[in-house]
Amino acid sequence: MGRSCDFLFALAVFILLIHVHTSVSTVPNISNDEAALLAFKSHISFSPNNILATNWSSSSPVCTWIGITCNSRHHRVTTLDISSMQLHGTIPPHLGNLSFLVSLDISDNTFYGELPEELAHLQRLKLTNVTSNNFTGVIPSFLSLLPNLRIVLLSDNQFFGEVPSSLSNITKLQVLGIKGNFLVGEIPRELGDLRYMTFLYLSLNQLTGAIPPSIFNITTMQVIALANNNLTGELPMTICDHLPNLVGLYLSRNYLDGVIPPTLEKCRKLQILSLSINEFAGTVPRELANLTSLTGLYLGGQHLGGI
Ligand SMILES: *[C@@H]1O[C@H](CO)[C@@H](O)[C@H](O)[C@H]1NC(C)=O
Ligand SMILES: *[C@@H]1O[C@H](CO)[C@@H](O)[C@H](O)[C@H]1NC(C)=O
Ligand SMILES: *[C@@H]1O[C@H](CO)[C@@H](O)[C@H](O)[C@H]1NC(C)=O
Ligand SMILES: *[C@@H]1O[C@H](CO)[C@@H](O)[C@H](O)[C@H]1NC(C)=O
Ligand SMILES: *[C@@H]1O[C@H](CO)[C@@H](O)[C@H](O)[C@H]1NC(C)=O
Ligand SMILES: *[C@@H]1O[C@H](CO)[C@@H](O)[C@H](O)[C@H]1NC(C)=O
Ligand SMILES: *[C@@H]1O[C@H](CO)[C@@H](O)[C@H](O)[C@H]1NC(C)=O
Ligand SMILES: *[C@@H]1O[C@H](CO)[C@@H](O)[C@H](O)[C@H]1NC(C)=O
Ligand SMILES: *[C@@H]1O[C@H](CO)[C@@H](O)[C@H](O)[C@H]1NC(C)=O
């Protein structure tokens, strides 16, 4: 009995050593980042004279490439910012190998196709900005697997389908921008669980149904932009009970009805209130005059009296 225990112990140590040995020799390093970026480069068709075409070359160190920042401690790629470089191409799965990536900004180009699921491996990612490209597909559900995301900007693309309720699992999310896509369905009430949200941009889609009251419950919220959708229903009288920091409320060009809540005066910091081209009735509440920070008030295009 004692003998076989010794034997098993020795075997366990042996296996452990082999495991440590193999995992040391396969620890990813900057060469893996370089391979991932060169794979990405091969999926980009460049506009004439594009600097990236020559700059991203194995003959110079990855960390000196344009748009790349590395951290000094691990010597790995942490930032990829190739915004506004007139690039045209697709995102290969290899980008998911940039395991130290914190910030991904490929905005304002003409990348197309879908965002690959392998991006779910980017567990350190805090910022994703793919605004103003030609991406398609549904809003990727893998985003909810990235627990460190603070900023997700997918605006002005060709994403379709619904706003996934799983986004509410990105508990640190502060900025969510999906304006200017082809989103349908209702705004998930689960978004109200995002306790650090400051900017929510869902304008210029085809969203329907009522605005879930839960999003008026996020006390950190500064801007709620839901204009140019097909939203219906009334605004709750409690709309401003928990929005002490709201500076912008953009709800114009929807099908909202009922009265304009006089309680909007409780959003003390409100600077822009845009409610035009809806189906509100009644009079403009005189309480709105109490909003001393207001610089823009847009109410036209409905059946209101008493301005
Ligand atoms: C990176 O790892 C590979 C093995 O995966 C190894 O061959 C190479 O020498 C390493 N490079 C550096 C810079 O550590
Ligand atoms: C790549 O671009 C960076 C930033 O402009 C520059 O510092 C570097 O020298 C360039 N490298 C090559 C090989 O062109
Ligand atoms: C990088 O990613 C690709 C595609 O996901 C994969 O096939 C490849 O094995 C990865 N390479 C390394 C070195 O991790
Ligand atoms: C995201 O990209 C857009 C378009 O390039 C840019 O205007 C915006 O400042 C970027 N935002 C962040 C937080 O990177
Ligand atoms: C974007 O995609 C749409 C449809 O997929 C296509 O018609 C359009 O030409 C694309 N635009 C650019 C600039 O690639
Ligand atoms: C959030 O994540 C948990 C655990 O992974 C999962 O059970 C739940 O369904 C997710 N919530 C949403 C709204 O997807
Ligand atoms: C939104 O309303 C427009 C008319 O204003 C209509 O053409 C469109 O089909 C509606 N979309 C949805 C998803 O209800
Ligand atoms: C608002 O938050 C409070 C507590 O944080 C909660 O009890 C209430 O149900 C929430 N209301 C909505 C509409 O989500
Ligand atoms: C808000 O406006 C109403 C009506 O104009 C007025 O009676 C009230 O005193 C004001 N409240 C505050 C807090 O200024």
Side-chain angles (χ1 to χ4, degrees), residues 172-228:
K172 295 173 186 163
L173 197 62
Q174 293 169 7
V175 181
L176 178 62
I178 327 182
K179 94 170 165 64
N181 283 286
F182 301 112
L183 301 180
V184 296
E186 302 194 4
I187 300 170
R189 86 185 139 66
E190 289 86 352
L191 292 189
D193 297 340
L194 293 165
R195 307 316 299 168
Y196 303 105
M197 186 96 89
T198 52
F199 297 93
L200 176 63
Y201 305 105
L202 296 175
S203 298
L204 285 157
N205 283 290
Q206 306 247 327
L207 298 168
T208 51
I211 303 169
S214 60
I215 71 164
F216 302 127
N217 214 1
I218 305 175
T219 55
T220 49
M221 198 72 98
Q222 292 179 31
V223 173
I224 298 174
L226 309 175
N228 292 72

Side-chain angles (χ1 to χ4, degrees), residues 12 32 40 59 72 75 82 86 138 143 172 182 188 203-205 207 218 237 246 252-253 268 275 299 304:
N32 300 81
F40 183 26
S59 62
S72 45
H75 194 56
I82 48 170
Q86 296 178 285
V138 296
L143 290 171
K172 295 173 186 163
F182 301 112
S203 298
L204 285 157
N205 283 290
L207 298 168
I218 305 175
M237 282 299 154
L246 198 71
S252 59
R253 293 184 185 270
R268 307 297 307 170
L275 302 175
L299 299 172
L304 295 168

Side-chain angles (χ1 to χ4, degrees), residues 31-45:
S31 312
N32 300 81
D33 292 353
E34 176 173 355
L37 290 168
L38 289 175
F40 183 26
K41 180 182 161 177
S42 73
H43 284 74
I44 299 174
S45 54

Side-chain angles (χ1 to χ4, degrees), residues 94-125:
H94 306 76
L95 220 55
N97 291 349
L98 296 175
S99 48
F100 275 74
L101 202 66
V102 173
S103 176
L104 172 66
D105 188 346
I106 54 173
S107 65
D108 192 24
N109 286 294
T110 43
F111 287 110
Y112 61 95
E114 298 189 15
L115 293 172
E117 279 187 26
E118 285 76 5
L119 297 185
H121 299 147
L122 303 178
Q123 288 292 306
R124 290 180 168 85
L125 206 58

